């Protein structure tokens, strides 16, 4: 982005043309934003976009303007709380504990969106000096009325030293959450526990896939024996070579 900004050398013209593209990208990537004067961080997502260029931070009950080109938040204003704020705040607390335990670079925000509690999780690790970058993004939607939990988890890893190797995978989940407790804390704990269970299964599936890749797929790319179906006796070949060199030396 800095390279493009330097080439154009006109922030007003660049912002006019690229603002919508950057906004879509930042929301898809769940960009983590610090809210001015609130000591709070919130994810930019489609679920907390109030209007064009303005977003909601449910944890501080404020909304703010965001400049996608300069990546700066401003114009913080108070916002009204929702009827389901108690349940949302309780689930936020449970997810904060979960993310802190499992995602060293992670962040999460729970939003109220169209009657559902939408939990967005992101964790990025960038190490371009070591030729790799990685991202984990997840969206979990829980509807207290239908008792349905739906989720989607995406992982993307890019390794580019002397080549270009990428992992780009996604898994979707759907489950009923029966026998919900009556208190909000117990409901939040149950939902957070299910999220942790499904994400652990997803990660284990990736690990198992890589083990199979090493044990079976890569081995299938080459013969275990040469065309003669006999193992090569490298020691005998070395002796033949040594004998030939001695004969040539005597001559």
């Amino acid at each position: 982005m800095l390279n493009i900004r330097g080439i154009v050398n006109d922030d007003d013209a660049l912002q006019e043309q690229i603002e919508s593209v950057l906004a879509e990208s930042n929301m898809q990537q769940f960009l983590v934003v610090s809210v001015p004067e609130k000591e709070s961080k919130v994810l930019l997502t489609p679920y907390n976009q109030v209007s064009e260029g303005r977003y909601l931070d449910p944890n501080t009950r404020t909304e703010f303007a965001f400049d996608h080109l300069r990546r700066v938040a401003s114009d913080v204003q108070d916002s009204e709380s929702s009827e389901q704020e108690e349940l949302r705040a309780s689930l936020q607390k449970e997810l904060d504990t979960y993310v802190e335990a499992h995602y060293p670079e992670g962040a999460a925000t729970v939003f109220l969106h169209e009657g559902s509690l939408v939990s967005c999780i992101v964790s990025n690790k960038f190490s371009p000096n070591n030729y790799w970058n990685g991202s984990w993004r997840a969206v979990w939607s829980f509807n207290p009325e239908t008792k349905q939990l739906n989720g989607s988890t995406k992982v993307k890893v890019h390794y580019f030293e002397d080549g270009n190797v990428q992992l780009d995978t996604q898994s979707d989940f759907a489950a009923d959450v029966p026998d919900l407790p009556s208190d909000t804390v117990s409901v939040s704990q149950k939902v957070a526990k299910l999220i942790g269970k499904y994400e652990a299964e997803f990660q284990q599936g990736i690990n198992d896939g890589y083990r199979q890749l090493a044990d079976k797929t890569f081995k299938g790319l080459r013969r275990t024996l040469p065309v003669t179906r006999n193992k090569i006796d490298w020691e005998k070949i070395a002796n033949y070579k040594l004998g030939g060199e001695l004969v040539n030396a005597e001559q």
Side-chain angles (χ1 to χ4, degrees), residues 114-168:
E114 298 180 352
S116 295
L117 293 168
V118 180
S119 305
C120 297
I121 300 172
V122 64
S123 182
N124 300 314
K125 292 204 72 172
F126 301 127
S127 186
N129 292 335
N130 293 313
Y131 306 102
W132 63 265
N133 296 308
S135 172
W136 175 297
R137 284 173 289 149
V139 180
W140 295 93
S141 177
F142 171 65
N143 190 312
E145 296 296 327
T146 62
K147 301 179 182 179
Q148 279 276 329
L149 177 66
N150 296 283
S152 177
T153 303
K154 301 177 182 180
V155 172
K156 188 166 186 178
V157 180
H158 185 199
Y159 180 77
F160 48 94
E161 182 178 15
D162 296 329
N164 186 7
V165 181
Q166 295 192 48
L167 165 68
D168 192 349

Side-chain angles (χ1 to χ4, degrees), residues 9-236:
N9 198 29
D10 186 337
D11 281 358
D12 292 335
L14 181 62
Q15 188 158 0
E16 181 181 350
Q17 298 297 324
I18 208 171
E19 180 79 14
S20 60
V21 177
L22 290 178
E24 182 178 355
S25 175
N26 288 337
M27 286 189 288
Q28 287 180 348
Q29 299 300 319
F30 294 170
L31 182 68
V32 182
V33 175
S34 296
V35 181
E37 303 175 3
K38 293 296 180 178
E39 296 183 358
S40 174
K41 291 186 177 181
V42 63
L43 307 187
L44 291 192
T45 76
Y47 308 105
N48 65 323
Q49 185 179 26
V50 178
S51 59
E52 185 175 353
R54 295 197 66 84
Y55 298 87
L56 173 71
D57 177 13
N59 294 320
T60 60
R61 301 179 188 178
T62 57
E63 66 174 67
F64 57 91
F66 188 75
D67 186 328
H68 291 277
L69 180 62
R70 299 176 179 84
R71 291 195 170 189
V72 175
S74 62
D75 190 24
V76 180
Q77 299 178 8
D78 292 335
S79 178
E80 296 181 359
S81 60
S82 171
E83 295 179 358
Q84 293 181 308
E85 174 58 25
E86 183 180 358
L87 180 57
R88 189 214 66 81
S90 181
L91 182 55
Q92 178 73 61
K93 183 178 179 181
E94 295 297 327
L95 273 189
D96 286 343
T97 302
Y98 166 71
V99 169
E100 185 177 359
H102 295 279
Y103 299 94
E105 308 292 335
T109 308
V110 181
F111 307 104
L112 288 168
H113 182 73
E114 298 180 352
S116 295
L117 293 168
V118 180
S119 305
C120 297
I121 300 172
V122 64
S123 182
N124 300 314
K125 292 204 72 172
F126 301 127
S127 186
N129 292 335
N130 293 313
Y131 306 102
W132 63 265
N133 296 308
S135 172
W136 175 297
R137 284 173 289 149
V139 180
W140 295 93
S141 177
F142 171 65
N143 190 312
E145 296 296 327
T146 62
K147 301 179 182 179
Q148 279 276 329
L149 177 66
N150 296 283
S152 177
T153 303
K154 301 177 182 180
V155 172
K156 188 166 186 178
V157 180
H158 185 199
Y159 180 77
F160 48 94
E161 182 178 15
D162 296 329
N164 186 7
V165 181
Q166 295 192 48
L167 165 68
D168 192 349
T169 184
Q170 174 179 340
S171 186
D172 298 325
F173 307 86
D176 294 323
V177 189
D179 304 323
L180 281 178
S182 58
D183 62 295
T184 57
V185 173
S186 298
V187 171
S188 301
Q189 290 174 343
K190 189 167 187 175
V191 172
K193 186 176 181 179
L194 282 173
I195 291 174
K197 174 180 178 291
Y198 290 130
E199 291 199 343
E201 291 176 355
F202 175 55
Q203 181 175 357
Q204 186 61 48
I206 295 176
N207 295 342
D208 292 342
Y210 270 106
R211 276 193 290 269
Q212 181 176 349
L213 194 67
D215 295 340
K216 296 181 180 180
T217 307
F218 283 158
K219 287 184 178 181
L221 296 177
R222 63 182 295 275
R223 296 187 181 97
T224 56
L225 292 173
V227 178
T228 60
R229 310 299 297 173
N230 295 312
K231 292 184 178 181
I232 296 176
D233 191 338
W234 294 105
E235 184 175 352
K236 184 182 292 186

